[in-house]
Amino acid sequence: MTTGYITHALCAQHEMGAWHPESPARLAAIHDQLIASGLLPYLAECEAPEATRAQIERAHDAQYVASLRARIPQQGYVALDPDTLMNPHTWLAALRAAGAVVEATDRVLRKTWRNAFCAVRPPGHHAGVRRAMGFCFLNNVAIGVRHALHEHGLQRVAVFDFDVHHGNGTEDILAGDERVLMTGFFQHPFYPYSGTGQTAKNMVNVPLPAGTDGDVLRQVMHKVCLPRLTDFAPEMIFISAGFDAHREDDLGQMAWVEADYAWITAQLMSVADAHAQGRIVSTLEGGYNLSALGRSVTAHVRTLAGL
Ligand SMILES: [Zn+2]
């Protein structure tokens, strides 16, 4: 059983200006490190299809999706917020990013792959039911979760989000959906300043102060996240894999290193092995220091591949 690696060239065509940290160079940095590490030949590569309207509308309001599509510029940029801009390729890139998670879900549930990593952008975890924000347009992970529930008939699916920012869009879509348990940690107080108030029972958020290192991360995993995941006994785990909690990443102020990403991945694999036949689909969220991003994704994917 192999680990899938799914991406699409169009994901590098979406860009928001030379100043913007969420850049096409991120995917190149990941690809380069997977080659340099010798890992790429061991992965099953696949090109992402486009997500369908029906798949997208399981997570997003139809009017929002239509308005997003209508605002795609012929040239230049359209800004949805100061940090979230569309260029002429954004819509097609977003369709491929969401389609990657759907395709990976199909392949893992059909046992073609043991698990998978989707190297895609734009990222998704800040995109809510009817709102783009924080570099995100379509919520790739939530679209994948709903696909697993609706198309494959799963009853319990977990989402683990380890991006340095709270996955407020994923929470917006999945809060109250008792078929889903969402857990993970994020820096707080910090953008998008959510995740600590009254949340739904299926949201197990762990806000952490700036400067948190791998030791605290291990304690939180053992005390909070792993027991909740084990109690829930998910049939599949999705990972919102952001790498901006790395100590070299300037968009967050956490102190994680590659070994921490490998450790979290191994813990989630243990839960998946115990309850979910090993089924994990991980998708890229943040991570903006190109060198740290490439190294951290390599540590994550190497662990997923058992190498
Ligand atoms: Zn982030």
Side-chain angles (χ1 to χ4, degrees), residues 125 163-165 244 286:
H125 77 152
D163 191 278
V164 79
H165 304 98
D244 39 10

Side-chain angles (χ1 to χ4, degrees), residues 147-166:
H147 180 73
L149 294 167
H150 289 263
E151 282 300 311
H152 294 275
L154 298 194
Q155 321 258 309
R156 293 179 315 285
V157 174
V159 178
F160 194 93
D161 189 326
F162 59 66
D163 191 278
V164 79
H165 304 98
H166 176 231

Side-chain angles (χ1 to χ4, degrees), residues 125-126 135 163-166 190-191 242-245 251 285-288:
H125 77 152
H126 295 307
F135 321 162
D163 191 278
V164 79
H165 304 98
H166 176 231
F190 200 42
Y191 183 90
F243 298 89
D244 39 10
L251 265 72
E285 301 287 359
Y288 304 99

